[in-house]
Amino acid sequence: MCGIVGYVGKNNAVPVILSGLYKLEYRGYDSAGIAVIENEALKVIKTKGRIKDLDEKIRSYGEINTNCAIGHTRWATHGAPSDVNSHPHISKNGRIAIVHNGIIENFLELREMLEAKGFEFVSQTDTEVVAHLFELNYKGNALEALQDTTKQLRGSYAIGVVTADAPSEIVCARKDNPLIIGIGEGENILGSDIPAIIGTTKNYIILNDNETARVTCEGVEVYNALGDNVSKEIHVVDWDISAAEKGGYEHFMMKEICEQAKAVKDTLSPRITKLLPNMSETKLSPEMFKNVRNIHIVACGSALYAGLVGKHIIEKLARIPCLANVASEFRYNDPIIDENDLCIVVSQSGETADTLAAMREAKKRGAKTLAIVNVVGSSAAREADSVLYTWAGPEIAVATTKAYSAQLSAMYLVAVYAAMSKGILTEEMAMGYCKEIMDLPELIDEVIKTREQVQYLASIYSNRSSTFFIGRGIDYAAAQEASLKLKEISYVHSEAYAAGELKHGTISLIEDGTLVVALANDDDVYEKTLSNIKSVKARGANVILVTNKNVTADPEICDHVIKIPKTIAELSASLSIVPMQLLAYYIGVYRGCDIDMPRNLAKSVTVE
Ligand code: AGP
């Protein structure tokens, strides 16, 4: 989704903003822009397209020397991607420029009010009302104008403003949209995310909802909703800028696929002591699980599919009824959840609007909340009662890989801990599970070795227009993630089906050459899945079988076998998903797709 960078300091702001915008590209966008104050005049340059297009456009203006600027990447919501709809937006008097992430829900009524006062609108965006409203409220103090403006806004926002009157000052505000401020020496920088600021400083503060700030070269002042000055904790980024760079790989996605063993190991190691789950760093307690009635997992996309695996293993090991809910549906479905229940939110970014809204609904109804989240200090992490961080490190590719794998690991830990808390698993049994879990990183590295075989298969099947992923139980949960990966990266239509459900209608779509990828890694249902595979093979499908069994291709069953290592069935998604990620990746490459920034997608979806 949209991204913000703002810089004020000792260096020329333009290259700093451009470098920050390049770092935010991964969030997904369709246009970009920059506003600078040069010689006390405001200059705005913006364009539809990529940052490199903006970069070229800026160069065409000649050298710009300024110590203060704001920049933006826009992911269109109100109004198509175009030069005019790009941010920054300028006020009527041309002396105020603003960038905004989020959605202003009352923009129509504000627009009518402003039009009645003579303000003219040039774009279709909701953001332009903020620029004009700011001008209406401006009496010479930008921070006060912003505070007055935000009081009139409904919706979600992260806002950055520069004014020609105060050429070395940026004011900013946040509600339900992330904004951090990097604290440097003689320079300060705001950004939507750490990669945008890390080139300038590793020290940063997190703006909370309804806070506003004034940022100058000398310092940062933060104010709460009442207008009181507040002091903020300074966080330090604990990873290096190289972690957010490609490091010799052609795409971030491949780099992140290859980093999965480390992500899983880093997530597990601090939480397993003497082969038993150690949750001391979280606020989880055995009592919580002893007495819990239901667990509701809420998440979106891949995080939801990690939740589906979690549901299986929690129910299997701890015998606690567990629902994996689509977050965008949850709060509108009058969910049956109260103080007897636990809500687990799963999110890489910790900023997904639907997931946050679902968590807030669960909290409102009295449920305890646990966030399994990757971004430290994100909204989900701050608002949940307990946090279990996935230590996957920065994930840049829009399609998640290593964060999903780390989420599975966190789910396994919760399941074993819950089962022990309920007295269902003895210490000895729990140690057995933990041993298998701790073996996963090594096995994941082993599966990455299927890379060449998968690339070959992708070369054969990249021209297929439709693909089915089938499996039972955990394999079905992994199939759903596999299908999403293929859709996202290669734009090939695909569906995930419970293997036994195909015959109830969807099998009519199977014809000569339809690609079916079958996952079969659970001994208990292996034979049943084989029967389902035979029925698609008999109807002309090309079948790739992903299994831990020692089998070879058989004309009655499958055309190809991708052999993965054996682990217990409950953990098998951690291994079966790897060749599926590789398949999506290579099919995407063969089809010439934009692997790290697929069309229409955003890394962190901060609007409902
Ligand atoms: C995954 O590849 C997708 N990009 C998407 O489904 C993602 O998992 C979803 O939007 C949830 O994001 P989150 O984990 O940051 O909450």
Side-chain angles (χ1 to χ4, degrees), residues 487-556:
K487 280 186 270 236
E488 283 185 288
I489 301 307
S490 68
Y491 317 147
V492 171
H493 168 258
S494 84
E495 286 191 46
Y497 251 80
E501 180 65 12
L502 268 185
K503 59 185 175 288
H504 296 288
T506 308
I507 201 162
S508 62
L509 296 175
I510 306 292
E511 54 188 5
D512 272 351
T514 306
L515 179 61
V516 176
V517 183
L519 283 66
N521 296 289
D522 183 349
D523 290 348
D524 289 349
V525 287
Y526 182 74
E527 296 296 333
K528 305 248 177 244
T529 307
L530 273 198
S531 307
N532 303 132
I533 301 172
K534 279 182 190 162
S535 62
V536 293
K537 189 78 190 109
R539 286 159 179 84
N542 289 122
V543 176
I544 300 175
L545 174 62
V546 182
T547 184
N548 52 27
K549 295 256 181 235
N550 281 320
V551 291
T552 49
D554 170 338
E556 276 192 25

Side-chain angles (χ1 to χ4, degrees), residues 309 313 408 412 440 447 472-475 478 519-522 546 548 564-579:
V309 174
I313 189 163
L408 295 188
Y412 303 154
L440 286 174
V447 206
R472 287 170 177 257
I474 290 278
D475 281 316
L519 283 66
N521 296 289
D522 183 349
V546 182
N548 52 27
I564 63 171
K566 182 114 183 136
T567 178
I568 50 178
E570 291 81 42
L571 310 181
S572 63
S574 289
L575 305 181
S576 61
I577 199 61
V578 177

Side-chain angles (χ1 to χ4, degrees), residues 25-326:
E25 280 195 298
Y26 78 95
R27 294 167 69 87
Y29 72 107
D30 43 57
S31 52
I34 185 168
V36 301
I37 312 286
E38 198 184 30
N39 305 325
E40 301 194 6
L42 186 66
K43 186 181 278 175
V44 171
I45 306 167
K46 51 191 192 173
T47 185
K48 181 183 165 186
R50 293 298 184 193
I51 307 298
K52 66 173 174 39
D53 304 315
L54 176 68
D55 204 335
E56 275 163 26
K57 201 164 176 177
I58 292 172
R59 281 173 213 279
S60 71
Y61 279 72
E63 178 102 356
I64 300 175
N65 264 312
T66 176
N67 75 333
C68 181
I70 50 174
H72 190 261
T73 50
R74 174 175 187 255
W75 189 84
T77 56
H78 294 63
S82 68
D83 288 3
V84 76
N85 285 336
S86 315
H87 301 208
H89 287 280
I90 321 170
S91 66
K92 185 179 160 201
N93 65 11
R95 296 184 61 76
I96 296 157
I98 94 141
V99 290
H100 161 232
N101 294 354
I103 287 184
I104 306 301
E105 287 166 5
N106 58 336
F107 90 99
L108 273 179
E109 76 194 56
L110 289 170
R111 187 173 170 142
E112 277 168 25
M113 180 272 283
L114 290 160
E115 278 172 340
K117 289 183 188 296
F119 288 91
E120 281 169 21
F121 284 77
V122 293
S123 77
Q124 290 96 51
T125 65
D126 52 336
T127 301
E128 199 182 351
V129 298
V130 188
H132 295 317
L133 192 59
F134 188 100
E135 181 183 322
L136 193 66
N137 290 322
Y138 183 69
K139 313 268 176 323
N141 181 322
L143 188 73
E144 283 172 12
L146 183 61
Q147 287 166 341
D148 290 341
T149 301
T150 51
K151 281 183 195 133
Q152 292 168 268
L153 303 179
R154 276 204 319 272
S156 63
Y157 51 78
I159 294 173
V161 188
V162 288
T163 65
D165 290 359
S168 295
E169 172 187 283
I170 301 173
V171 291
C172 57
R174 164 206 164 131
K175 182 172 171 281
D176 293 336
N177 227 287
L179 195 60
I180 58 172
I181 304 175
I183 311 293
E185 284 177 20
E187 56 185 350
N188 293 301
I189 180 164
L190 55 137
S192 300
D193 210 343
I194 290 169
I197 65 156
I198 198 171
T200 301
T201 176
K202 283 190 163 189
N203 299 327
Y204 68 100
I205 59 172
I206 300 169
L207 221 55
N208 287 334
D209 280 347
N210 301 310
E211 285 182 342
T212 50
R214 174 187 283 123
V215 185
T216 61
C217 302
E218 290 79 38
V220 178
E221 300 156 25
V222 180
Y223 298 86
N224 63 18
L226 302 172
D228 300 327
N229 190 205
V230 287
S231 67
K232 303 287 292 182
E233 183 190 347
I234 296 189
H235 302 263
V236 182
V237 183
D238 62 359
W239 45 268
D240 198 68
I241 194 160
S242 62
E245 286 168 352
K246 282 189 199 149
Y249 288 87
E250 201 176 331
H251 300 103
F252 279 110
M253 185 179 174
M254 181 52 86
K255 175 176 180 249
E256 289 161 3
I257 288 173
C258 295
E259 284 173 349
Q260 288 185 106
K262 182 176 183 318
V264 168
K265 194 170 178 186
D266 290 351
T267 301
L268 293 172
S269 300
R271 280 70 176 257
I272 295 188
T273 313
K274 296 189 180 145
L275 278 187
L276 287 174
N278 174 355
M279 295 291 188
S280 53
E281 131 225 12
T282 71
K283 291 188 194 137
L284 294 176
S285 67
E287 281 62 43
M288 224 160 135
F289 289 102
K290 245 183 241 162
N291 304 322
V292 74
R293 183 184 57 184
N294 292 313
I295 294 179
H296 292 260
I297 297 170
V298 291
C300 305
S302 296
L304 174 66
Y305 298 143
L308 280 178
V309 174
K311 169 196 158 65
H312 274 273
I313 189 163
I314 289 170
E315 288 192 338
K316 169 115 189 186
L317 267 51
R319 308 305 295 159
I320 301 169
C322 186
L323 289 133
N325 301 277
V326 174

